[in-house]
Amino acid sequence: MSFTIGGGVNLEKCYTNLLSADSNNNGFISQSEFLTFLQSNKTGLLNTNQYGTPLTQFSQLPQSFVGVYNFFACGDQFVGCPTLAGIDIQGLLNSQQNGGGGEMLSEQQTTYLYRLCKDT
């Protein structure tokens, strides 16, 4: 069953892609993991740039997606924070433990993740 709300945000797909992108399972999406997440979430739309060159690094992403990452990881779309672990998805990770029977997401975590999924 797929859970979609609002303007076509498929949260189940987004949550699955976030969890899959967190390759080290630390509950944070790093810059390189964000690229993986976007590429899986956009199903081929971000595999190459406008010139056909493969996107293999975070720095190659369009500025709008770098701004989304910075907003969720750093709190400001115009400020980078390379010393932070990344976008916090620990609430989502905890909710999926024990076969999905882990802790429930708080309202704040749900809103945060919805906005992240909507913006990507």
Side-chain angles (χ1 to χ4, degrees):
M1 178 168 96
S2 181
F3 182 57
T4 302
I5 57 177
V9 178
N10 185 331
L11 292 178
E12 182 180 344
K13 177 184 177 197
C14 182
Y15 289 179
T16 298
N17 291 340
L18 280 168
L19 292 168
S20 295
D22 185 18
S23 59
N24 59 3
N25 293 317
N26 69 347
F28 292 91
I29 299 294
S30 68
Q31 290 181 348
S32 62
E33 291 170 335
F34 187 67
L35 174 61
T36 300
F37 164 69
L38 288 175
Q39 289 175 330
S40 63
N41 219 33
K42 294 298 182 190
T43 318
L45 295 178
L46 285 172
N47 290 339
T48 60
N49 66 13
Q50 69 267 29
Y51 306 110
T53 304
L55 296 177
T56 58
Q57 297 178 33
F58 175 82
S59 62
Q60 296 173 312
L61 283 171
Q63 190 58 43
S64 59
F65 287 108
V66 172
V68 169
Y69 179 86
N70 288 343
F71 177 80
F72 286 98
C74 314
D76 187 323
Q77 69 178 359
F78 300 110
V79 176
C81 52
T83 59
L84 293 181
I87 297 173
D88 184 352
I89 62 160
Q90 291 182 56
L92 179 59
L93 188 63
N94 292 339
S95 74
Q96 297 301 309
Q97 291 177 344
N98 303 321
E103 299 174 26
M104 293 287 294
L105 289 170
S106 70
E107 288 181 22
Q108 182 178 6
Q109 289 169 324
T110 301
T111 301
Y112 172 84
L113 289 169
Y114 170 76
R115 181 152 180 215
L116 174 61
C117 292
K118 182 178 178 287
D119 288 353
T120 56

